[in-house]
Amino acid sequence: MIPKHDGWSRRWRAPAAVAAGALPALAFPAPALWWFACVALVPWMLLLRSAPGGRRAALEGWLGGAGFILAVHHWLLPSLHVFLVPVAALLGVLWIPWALLVRELLGGRPSAGRAACALVLVPAGWLLSELVRSWQGLGGPWGLLGASQWQVPPALRLASVGGVWLVSLLLVAVNCALVLLVAVPGARVPAVAGLAGCALLTGAVWVGAVRPAESGGLRVAVVQPGPVPDGPDSAERRFAAGERLTRPLAGQRVDLVVWGESSVGEDLSARPDLARRLAALSAEVGAPLLVNVDARSADRPGIYKSAVLVGPGGPTGDRYDKMRLVPFGEYVPARALLGWATSVGRAAGEDRMQGDAPVVMDLPGQREGGPAVRLGPLVCFESAFPDMSRRLTRDGASLLIAQSATSTFQESWAPAQHASLAALRAAENGRPMVHATLTGVSVVNGPSGERIGSALPTSARTAEVYEVPLARGSTLYVRFGDWPVTAALAALAFYCGAAGARSLRRPSPPVPEPSSPPARTARG
């Protein structure tokens, strides 16, 4: 018979899994308890290792994954409403393989060898879930565990070697070692060795990783006009606010002025009057303007979001069209099937069009004797994708720029979460990054990911000038890319292959011999 308290325990395991999966969200902005990421997975992993069977572990991995998605993306509720729940349920499935690994390798009383394997394979399994959900169609790489360490210098140095992926791997390894210390007394030696290994690797990278060599600098102005109420003339009022804030920059020897996403609401080729106003503003300030056009194109079908560089003579011809669009915010996946989402939230009524290729722009009008500067523009949540900024750096970008607008989510964690990504992209590539928004939070980060100047909060309506140090050279991440992902996938493949080979070598249980039929007796 099953004791009554066991049934009570089973009833509470499901909500406990959801709550435990949500805990890591506290390590991200706005709470920004970065240190909590080192222990945040421990309750969830302790629950999984005690699961009575693989099916139960899979269920609790799924529920915990859904809880994580809901917690990290809760600010999407104004846009998706109840649709966020099935999205979280769908993405939660990605944590099932990780949950099965946790139970298999940490459950029961693992030997020292199995504990050592867990310190490698459990982080690799976590990284697999992060990798799959990083696909744009599943929402992109928002809320990667390593991204919670955006303000920790040693973590940023690790990112310059292996990207945000390496930071995630080490965080999960630390959580795994703590689980072994807490729950498996016989595995304390490999657990302590694992913690020491993480510390040694971090220290070696801190001491030995090549730091970007500074090479000149730029004076970059970020223009943040603040929220503009919706209405038929909101685009014009936003444009006028950008003009008003930019004019006082005249005489301040600015090299570049950056406006946020959707700062221009009409195609400049269809509105030559707007192009002339921008050109006159550039001439008055003495610097080119990087604006963002969110409008129906005059020379091709559809609506594009485009970074456009404008000088005193008008648009320079440098234009980048956003390539990775926000699911539901800028397009509805499988609109024929999911188009009803537009009636319950703020999903896009019409799909935006995708750009074809990244663009690196030459900054015109630089001071004589200064270094040649090339701009690598990104739009909005493209700053979450490590591969995009790496591609721009490899193509010669000296300064990474993300133009964003988070006005829909002003009072939520979203602006701070988005701004924090600039530190990681800067550190990964050894290039400064400007994160310019319409409504905050706007930030500038140096080539090592360090904060330059003060952030512009969501309450700010201003133009701020930043002294941005440039850098030369290449980080290991730029040279070798996502090698931690490759290593993690190789470790998982080896484990699966070895497990399959063991199952083939295992002898089959003997087949019982058929019993002889009962003897028949004559009845007298």
Side-chain angles (χ1 to χ4, degrees), residues 15-73:
V18 176
L23 283 177
L26 297 175
F28 294 87
L33 304 176
W34 62 266
W35 52 268
F36 189 60
C38 297
V39 298
L41 299 180
V42 170
W44 190 8
M45 294 168 73
L46 289 173
L47 187 71
L48 293 172
R49 74 176 294 272
S50 67
R55 294 175 68 178
R56 188 73 200 189
L59 173 64
E60 291 167 1
W62 172 51
L63 292 173
F68 176 78
I69 294 297
L70 284 171
V72 173
H73 296 83

Side-chain angles (χ1 to χ4, degrees), residues 337-430:
L337 182 65
L338 301 176
W340 58 269
T342 60
S343 62
V344 297
R346 299 176 184 173
E350 178 181 350
D351 292 350
R352 266 37 177 191
M353 306 299 290
Q354 287 181 288
D356 298 323
V359 175
V360 176
M361 305 176 179
D362 292 313
L363 180 63
Q366 297 174 70
R367 291 193 294 270
E368 188 174 338
V373 177
R374 305 187 74 198
L375 312 177
L378 299 165
V379 181
C380 193
F381 100 135
E382 290 182 329
S383 66
F385 292 85
D387 65 300
M388 296 196 72
S389 53
R390 177 174 176 257
R391 168 70 184 273
L392 290 169
T393 302
R394 290 174 67 89
D395 288 346
S398 312
L399 175 65
L400 301 170
I401 300 174
Q403 296 173 299
S404 177
T406 53
S407 52
T408 306
F409 312 106
Q410 279 296 93
E411 305 304 322
S412 74
W413 293 2
Q417 283 185 13
H418 200 178
S420 70
L421 297 173
L424 282 159
R425 301 293 87 85
E428 287 170 344
N429 296 281

Side-chain angles (χ1 to χ4, degrees), residues 90-123:
L90 172 65
L91 294 178
V93 171
L94 299 177
W95 275 270
I96 290 178
W98 178 73
L100 294 173
L101 269 175
V102 171
R103 183 185 180 277
E104 176 68 22
L105 296 172
L106 297 177
R109 299 191 178 193
S111 63
R114 185 149 62 101
C117 288
L119 290 169
V120 174
L121 295 171
V122 169

Side-chain angles (χ1 to χ4, degrees), residues 306-323:
S306 307
V308 178
L309 194 61
V310 181
T316 64
D318 285 326
R319 175 189 183 115
Y320 165 67
D321 299 321
K322 186 177 184 181
M323 297 171 62

Side-chain angles (χ1 to χ4, degrees), residues 466-478:
Y466 296 88
E467 297 282 351
V468 182
L470 300 178
R472 52 184 170 80
S474 182
T475 65
L476 290 176
Y477 177 70
V478 170

